Amino acid sequence: MAPELLLIVLAALPFAGSVVAALLPANARNAEAWLAGAVAVAGVVVAIILYPALADGAVLHFKVAWMPIKGADFNLRLDGFAWLFSLLITGIGALVVLYARYYLSAADPMPRFFSFLLAFMGSMLGLVLSGNLIQLVFFWELTSLFSFLLIGYWHHNAAARDGARLSLTVTALGGLALLGGVVLLGRITGSYDLDVVLAAGETIRAHPWYLPVLGLVLLGAFTKSAQFPFHFWLPQAMAAPTPVSAYLHSATMVKAGVFLLARLWPVLAGTDAWFWLVGGTGLVTLLFAGWCAIFQQDLKGLLAYSTISNLGLITLLLGLNSPLAAVAAVFHIINHATFKASLFMAAGIIDHEAGTRDIRRLSGLYRLMPYTATLAMVACAAMAGVPLLNGFISKEMFFTEAILATTPLPLLGELLPYAATLAGMFAVAYSLRFIHGAFFGPPPLDLPHMPQEPPRWMRFPVELLVLVCLLVGILPTLTLGSMLQTAVRAILGADTPIYSLSVWHGFNLAVLMSAMALVGGVVMYRLLHGYLAHSPDGPPVLRRIAGQRVFERILVTLSWRWARTLRGLLGTHRLQPQLRALVVVAVLVAALPLLRHWRAAWPGFAGWPDPVLAGVWLIGAACAIGAAWQAKYHRLAALILMGGAGLATCLTFVWFSAPDLALTQLLVEIVTTVLMLLGLRWLPKRFERIDETTTLPARLRRAADFALAAGAGIGVAMLAYLTMTRPAPQSIARYFLEHALPQGGGHNVVNVILVDFRGFDTLGEISVLAVVAITVYALLRRFRPAQESIGAPEQQRVQNAWEHAHPDRQDGDSVAEQLLVPGVLMRWIFPPMLTIAVYLFMRGHDLPGGGFVAGLVVAIALIVQYMAAGTRRVEAQLRVHPLRWMAIGLLLALLTGVGAWLAGYPFLTSHLFMPQVPGLGRLPLASALFFDLGVFALVVGATTLILIALAHQSLRSQRPARTGNPATEA
Amino acid sequence: MELLIALAIGALIGSGVWLLLRPRSFQLIIGLSLLSYAVNLFIFAMGRLAVDAAPVVKAASEAAHYTDPVPQALVLTAIVIGFATTALFLVVLLANRGLAGTDHVDGREPPP
């Protein structure tokens, strides 16, 4: 298989496995483990196959353009460094899967665990294989997300939930900062491609944005790698199942941060700012976390702090601005991953077997599980930096670098070796504490259950990792030399220094420091031993300042206290102040530039209007103002007046060459009026004399609203006048006018735009109409009117009473008699209206008309029948199925669009054909006609559905709403 | 003519905004309808006012003699969508009136 294809397999396989794992049954523990293990081992195999392709610094690429304009491509890129990480992720992943098979109990839901684990593995691989920075951030956030899900795997446990949430909050916030940094990087270099960015180191370091970029990228890296002061999430994340901790906090999640630092090392490193920020943070973290680790009483807590400390060490090495230190950092990344993963697993075994991880309770386990104890001791020795183990070599390299480091401040250079030795002492002390606390001393007394050796295959991953620690410690060049060289060259390129990996470099200062660290660490542990046997968790003094408590307090203050204060100051539950603020802002924003440029913009007087239209608008404006005045107490009058304003609008459309608009406006006006009339019945009665508010604040408020309304009206009028008196800009109108006939086959350009050129918009619009109609229908199905509106309206009551008084009459006779002549006419008008609808529809492509208008006419024709004969009588004769009309309409419109696909054109392309019709000759027929037919059917369905649903409310026996006004009930 | 249409739009906007700031939901629905007339007219007027120039072409060559069809197409959709939203708003208003027992826009009567 071609290397590029293997690259896709490597990146995609875990995600595919994750989907499969999620679908397996809940108790398929072995099947899940086999699947996940197979995926991880396949990853290892693919990685090994790909290794020869990376010889001599070659880089493998697989690129698919996704959004080329924005520079966002799907880009897989494998170089030596990414390869090293891929091997760690898949290799340790495979061991963790095996371990988890025995660690998890049969009661734990398996699909969730293995599915998340595989997805996490995929995200990590995607992260290290990213050749595009945006893609890198995407996978970065995915790792945050899946680690959240993994840490919170035992979600019945409050500590797991809190730990998961904390880690997500911190790392995802860092990811956001990283995204900012990456976008800036892309702005500086003009590309998000990693190769381009890596080649632009000089430009970036000299750019004025260097510091912001550095700050943002470091925020991302430090939060991920749990560097001080963002370290506090990692100990909390120890509530995760131990396999998760072993995976996330040794080889993967937390290593993503240092991976990024090393990845961008050639671009961002080499400045004083880098030294202070990266080196300083690393040093502080190294010492602080090392000190904290000694005082942990939980085995996993100790490992968590030692992980933070080791990450600090790697960060410090990367911060020293020296290629040799970078080599040491990469080397330590591997070593730490191996010994820490094995130690987490050993801690898990102890927890699993003994039922507790508390060092104060554990003791003398060596007698009960000698084999596991030996393995853990070797791994701890590697962590402490005992010779002949891999930790020793990387620590030697660190000590050498600490001595050689050139720092911007000479004094610091002097102090660095001492700090390094101190950190070494801490490491020895906490390693000793792990071993001595758990395995030595008197036999344990109060353990939840008696420990014994774990199953064979649960121990196997630990054995393998410890074997690696030993082999690398004894034969570093033979085992890791080539891989390290490839990885380091991928970062440093031509600057790769010459270094030698060997156990013994002769007797030099670094060896002396090592010896001092070992002795000092032992002494330190002896001194603290008595105190630690009974002390509470955490180092003295510092245990009171828990980082996560500070963080939580800040979060509470920000997102709760301040938010509430702000809401109290600025917010309101009331609609009117909100709308008022909205209008005020809108008016101001529009008015300020208008007033400033008023003199230049004023076009002069544009001539007197036509007196007829002026008369129309005299009435129209009076209607609008009258509606505004009457809407509170005289709803019917307001409705009629609103219709007047609508008619004036409609006439304006006629006057100024918009016949289609006029037709639509007129018909919609009718439908809206009917709709509102149907609704009026359910509104409360309101009498002018009762609730007249005449208090001073009410008057003032009304005066202010009046001024605001007047201001808005005058402002928009000015705006409209200024725009209209200006010559029209060159618009796209010309295109439509020129192409409507030859391409759309229609004379009526508006209709051609709607059903042909912009058919997709119309499709969206009729979908909205359908959604609204169904929503209205759904809302009305459960409609509960207010108590006072349930009884028949007063007019009906009076009429019914009169009818009851006369034995020969029935309810509703009076109405039927009154409407006798109009009723007959209305029934007779049904066929002509349908004919008009057909006529309007057919001519729509060439003359004013079309699907919308025709649909409205049919809907009105139906409503007229309802009004003439009453709902029951109409529905006895004629069943309208609005939902079917809508379905047919939507389907027809969609199928017309799909038809274009079949002919090989884009969706909704109209086709013009000229069929021969007997008796009529050749007819020009556009396929858009069928689309328009769909529009027609949908408009008929939606309109009638809304109106009939509302009308039916008067026939139903209504129940009052259960919940009244809480304010009045209280 | 421009002056007249501008004043008409202004009157509609003024009445609409006034109603928008009123407390009763029916006032709001009338106000929104008036505002939608105004906005439709405004968008339509962006194509400039022309008499006897309906965009119904006779032949493709003489494009200059017709008024701009684009705002008309926009407004046509706006009218239909306006109807849909009015219907939706009316039904929400009625349902809320049933549930809250008041037609005040806040769903409760203001304290006296």
Side-chain angles (χ1 to χ4, degrees):
Chain A
M1 213 189 282
E4 285 77 16
L5 282 177
L6 283 175
L7 207 53
I8 306 172
V9 170
L10 187 59
L13 199 59
F15 287 111
S18 166
V19 173
V20 177
L23 298 175
L24 291 178
N27 55 358
R29 188 149 64 143
N30 288 328
E32 293 277 3
W34 276 113
L35 170 75
V39 168
V41 170
V44 175
V45 172
V46 170
I48 291 173
I49 295 173
L50 283 172
Y51 187 64
L54 302 172
D56 305 320
V59 178
L60 281 181
H61 279 107
F62 173 80
K63 197 185 281 192
V64 183
W66 177 52
M67 247 193 327
I69 298 173
K70 295 282 173 201
D73 296 326
F74 182 73
N75 189 346
L76 295 177
R77 176 186 184 278
L78 183 72
D79 62 2
F81 187 51
W83 181 86
L84 177 70
F85 260 89
S86 307
L87 191 69
L88 281 178
I89 293 162
T90 50
I92 296 192
L95 297 179
V96 164
V97 167
L98 178 59
Y99 179 79
R101 157 64 186 81
Y102 293 96
Y103 182 85
L104 294 177
S105 84
D108 290 318
M110 294 299 148
R112 195 149 59 83
F113 183 84
F114 285 103
S115 173
F116 288 162
L117 192 77
L118 284 176
F120 178 80
M121 187 187 292
S123 319
M124 253 339 268
L125 283 171
L127 168 64
V128 299
L129 294 177
S130 284
N132 181 293
L133 289 175
I134 300 287
Q135 185 191 337
L136 186 144
V137 176
F138 172 76
F139 282 109
W140 180 281
E141 294 289 41
L142 268 193
T143 60
S144 294
L145 195 64
F146 284 113
S147 74
F148 163 75
L149 293 170
L150 282 170
I151 294 169
Y153 174 68
W154 284 326
H155 50 59
H156 47 81
N157 178 354
R161 291 198 300 268
D162 290 347
R165 205 166 47 218
L166 187 67
S167 84
L168 181 69
T169 316
V170 176
T171 55
L173 273 180
L176 203 60
L178 176 65
L179 179 62
V182 159
V183 168
L184 288 185
L185 270 181
R187 279 299 176 101
I188 296 173
T189 57
S191 169
Y192 294 115
D193 198 298
L194 191 58
D195 290 310
V196 177
V197 173
L198 286 181
E202 290 291 328
T203 326
I204 292 168
R205 283 190 295 272
H207 201 275
W209 289 355
Y210 171 70
L211 272 185
V213 169
L214 185 64
L216 290 169
V217 170
L218 290 185
L219 262 180
F222 289 170
T223 47
K224 200 81 165 177
S225 277
Q227 295 297 292
F228 185 86
F230 309 110
H231 61 282
F232 50 84
W233 69 263
L234 207 150
Q236 303 300 314
M238 288 300 128
T242 301
V244 172
S245 307
Y247 194 37
L248 265 60
H249 305 131
S250 68
T252 51
M253 170 83 170
V254 292
K255 287 284 163 62
V258 285
F259 169 82
L260 184 75
L261 289 183
R263 183 90 279 179
L264 295 178
W265 196 88
V267 179
L268 297 176
T271 61
D272 281 358
W274 174 271
F275 172 81
W276 286 116
L277 286 173
V278 180
T281 309
L283 183 63
V284 171
T285 312
L286 168 68
L287 291 172
F288 170 76
W291 175 249
C292 289
I294 301 173
F295 294 92
Q296 297 305 308
Q297 298 295 5
D298 177 7
L299 280 181
K300 278 180 81 178
L302 185 153
L303 292 178
Y305 274 101
S306 92
T307 300
I308 301 173
S309 177
N310 275 290
L311 290 165
L313 169 67
I314 298 168
T315 309
L316 170 61
L317 282 169
L318 288 168
L320 287 179
N321 282 336
S322 126
L324 266 175
V327 176
V330 175
F331 189 49
H332 194 64
I333 287 176
I334 312 172
N335 293 337
H336 176 248
T338 52
F339 67 68
K340 194 47 67 65
S342 59
L343 278 175
F344 267 118
M345 290 179 186
I349 290 174
I350 294 171
D351 187 17
H352 201 252
E353 296 296 326
T356 179
R357 302 189 308 246
D358 193 323
I359 305 177
R360 284 164 300 193
R361 292 174 72 186
L362 293 168
S363 161
L365 292 185
Y366 186 82
R367 266 159 267 192
L368 298 164
M369 36 202 319
Y371 199 77
T372 309
T374 314
L375 291 173
M377 275 186 261
V378 179
C380 262
M383 179 158 78
V386 171
L388 294 185
L389 288 162
N390 58 358
F392 174 71
I393 302 175
S394 47
K395 198 162 60 174
E396 286 295 275
M397 289 166 93
F398 166 52
F399 286 162
T400 314
E401 288 313 311
I403 299 162
L404 294 177
T406 48
T407 57
L409 199 69
L411 180 66
L412 196 70
E414 298 286 321
L415 286 176
L416 206 53
Y418 296 99
T421 315
L422 189 64
M425 278 158 65
F426 290 163
V428 173
Y430 62 67
S431 302
L432 259 180
R433 180 150 160 68
F434 188 103
I435 297 171
H436 190 255
F439 297 117
F440 293 96
L445 294 174
D446 64 335
L447 292 183
H449 32 90
M450 226 34 193
Q452 57 184 27
E453 286 288 354
R456 169 83 194 82
W457 290 102
M458 189 174 184
R459 223 168 44 208
F460 176 75
V462 190
E463 290 165 5
L464 199 67
L465 288 168
V466 167
L467 186 69
V468 171
C469 292
L470 268 168
L471 282 178
V472 174
I474 299 167
L475 301 164
T477 320
L478 198 67
T479 47
L480 274 185
S482 147
M483 295 182 203
L484 184 64
Q485 178 70 14
T486 318
V488 167
R489 202 159 56 192
I491 302 173
L492 299 174
D495 298 335
T496 311
I498 299 183
Y499 58 88
S500 87
L501 282 180
S502 63
V503 183
W504 184 247
H505 283 109
F507 196 81
N508 57 16
L509 201 53
V511 174
L512 183 68
M513 284 161 73
S514 259
M516 278 168 62
L518 276 173
V519 175
V522 174
V523 172
M524 188 186 270
Y525 180 66
R526 292 289 305 173
L527 290 176
L528 286 171
H529 182 232
Y531 170 77
L532 285 173
H534 305 287
S535 70
D537 208 27
V541 184
L542 282 175
R543 77 170 71 95
R544 287 168 199 283
I545 322 165
Q548 105 270 7
R549 229 175 296 149
V550 176
F551 182 76
E552 269 159 18
R553 196 157 304 162
I554 292 173
L555 269 193
V556 165
T557 311
L558 268 178
S559 68
W560 182 239
R561 293 224 184 93
W562 288 10
R564 283 226 304 191
T565 315
L566 268 182
R567 203 180 66 190
L569 281 175
L570 302 172
T572 170
H573 285 297
R574 301 181 48 228
L575 182 69
Q576 284 169 283
Q578 294 174 22
L579 284 178
R580 206 168 282 138
L582 202 74
V583 176
V584 166
V585 171
V587 168
L588 282 182
V589 166
L592 288 180
L594 191 66
L595 292 178
R596 197 143 29 110
H597 303 292
W598 177 247
R599 208 170 284 281
W602 179 245
F605 183 57
W608 291 103
D610 187 284
V612 177
L613 196 63
V616 166
W617 270 111
L618 208 61
I619 299 168
C623 280
I625 293 163
W629 174 39
Q630 293 292 338
K632 187 167 187 182
Y633 298 111
H634 304 280
R635 298 197 186 103
L636 185 61
L639 192 57
I640 295 167
L641 288 169
M642 187 191 95
L647 281 180
T649 311
C650 180
L651 284 173
T652 313
F653 289 144
V654 177
W655 195 282
F656 294 114
S657 332
D660 275 291
L661 292 193
L663 259 177
T664 317
Q665 176 80 59
L666 187 66
L667 295 168
V668 165
E669 205 58 51
I670 294 168
V671 181
T672 311
T673 309
V674 174
L675 181 82
M676 299 254 237
L677 283 172
L678 286 169
L680 281 184
R681 180 205 179 306
W682 304 105
L683 287 171
K685 289 189 178 122
R686 178 160 291 113
F687 302 105
E688 210 160 337
R689 56 201 143 67
I690 295 176
D691 61 357
E692 183 77 17
T693 42
T694 46
T695 55
L696 186 65
R699 278 166 188 273
L700 280 178
R701 207 163 49 231
R702 243 176 276 164
D705 285 351
F706 185 80
L708 196 56
I714 293 167
V716 178
M718 268 159 45
L719 212 60
Y721 184 69
L722 288 180
T723 335
M724 280 189 284
T725 45
R726 227 149 261 271
Q730 186 70 41
S731 80
I732 46 173
R734 217 185 154 71
Y735 172 85
F736 289 127
L737 288 167
E738 278 168 3
H739 291 79
L741 192 53
Q743 288 188 2
H747 292 273
N748 182 1
V749 186
V750 175
N751 184 271
V752 174
I753 291 177
L754 285 177
V755 298
D756 189 341
F757 290 126
R758 306 298 304 166
F760 199 59
D761 293 356
T762 310
L763 184 64
E765 188 207 348
I766 59 174
S767 311
V768 170
L769 202 58
V771 170
V772 167
I774 291 169
T775 313
V776 164
Y777 179 66
L779 277 172
L780 286 175
R781 270 175 63 111
R782 299 267 165 192
F783 178 58
R784 296 273 179 275
Q787 182 69 51
E788 58 174 283
S789 303
I790 287 181
E794 195 183 340
Q795 293 84 343
Q796 238 178 60
R797 277 204 307 275
V798 172
Q799 236 166 37
N800 288 350
W802 192 77
E803 246 126 26
H804 288 168
H806 296 72
D808 54 330
R809 299 180 69 87
Q810 289 176 348
D811 281 2
D813 275 359
S814 299
V815 179
E817 278 166 18
Q818 267 179 2
L819 277 177
L820 196 58
V821 176
V824 170
L825 285 178
M826 281 150 92
R827 250 170 273 175
W828 276 105
I829 214 171
F830 190 54
M833 281 185 84
L834 291 189
T835 316
I836 290 171
V838 174
Y839 170 67
L840 283 171
F841 176 78
M842 289 311 286
R843 69 176 220 160
H845 218 46
D846 291 322
L847 287 164
F852 275 122
V853 173
L856 286 168
V857 170
V858 171
I860 292 170
L862 287 169
I863 294 160
V864 165
Q865 296 317 299
Y866 271 80
M867 289 200 283
T871 309
R872 293 214 172 88
R873 267 182 242 178
V874 171
E875 289 184 350
Q877 298 165 4
L878 172 76
R879 287 295 292 175
V880 191
H881 295 286
L883 285 169
R884 282 186 209 168
W885 278 87
M886 283 163 61
I888 290 169
L890 261 186
L891 276 178
L892 199 58
L894 268 176
L895 287 179
T896 316
V898 173
W901 272 345
L902 297 183
Y905 292 100
F907 187 62
L908 273 175
T909 310
S910 180
H911 180 63
L912 189 63
F913 44 95
M914 297 259 188
Q916 190 80 36
V917 180
L920 293 172
R922 287 174 72 80
L923 279 181
L925 192 63
S927 71
L929 189 72
F930 296 105
F931 182 76
D932 213 14
L933 196 62
V935 174
F936 163 78
L938 190 125
V939 170
V940 172
T943 316
T944 44
L945 181 67
I946 294 172
L947 289 169
I948 292 176
L950 194 51
H952 274 190
Q953 299 308 316
S954 300
L955 297 181
R956 278 173 48 182
S957 59
Q958 295 289 1
R959 269 181 294 164
R962 241 174 303 158
T963 48
N965 185 355
T968 51
E969 271 176 357
Chain B
M1 284 310 226
E2 282 80 7
L3 184 66
L4 177 69
I5 299 305
L7 288 175
I9 294 173
L12 288 170
I13 289 270
S15 317
V17 168
W18 165 259
L19 284 175
L20 207 60
L21 302 175
R22 296 301 91 216
R24 301 293 156 184
S25 46
F26 186 77
Q27 292 175 301
L28 217 63
I29 204 169
I30 297 278
L32 283 174
S33 297
L34 291 178
L35 276 180
S36 72
Y37 293 148
V39 171
N40 286 345
L41 270 179
F42 189 91
I43 298 174
F44 167 69
M46 290 305 102
R48 301 301 180 269
L49 306 176
V51 181
D52 276 344
V56 178
V57 289
K58 291 177 192 70
S61 53
E62 24 149 29
H65 300 294
Y66 303 105
T67 183
D68 192 341
V70 179
Q72 294 199 16
L74 288 176
V75 170
L76 203 145
T77 24
I79 293 173
V80 178
I81 291 283
F83 162 67
T85 45
T86 307
L88 185 62
F89 182 46
L90 181 76
V91 172
V92 170
L93 179 166
L94 294 179
N96 185 52
R97 142 95 174 121
L99 284 175
T102 167
D103 66 340
H104 195 279
V105 286
D106 296 334
R108 66 173 87 167
E109 287 297 324

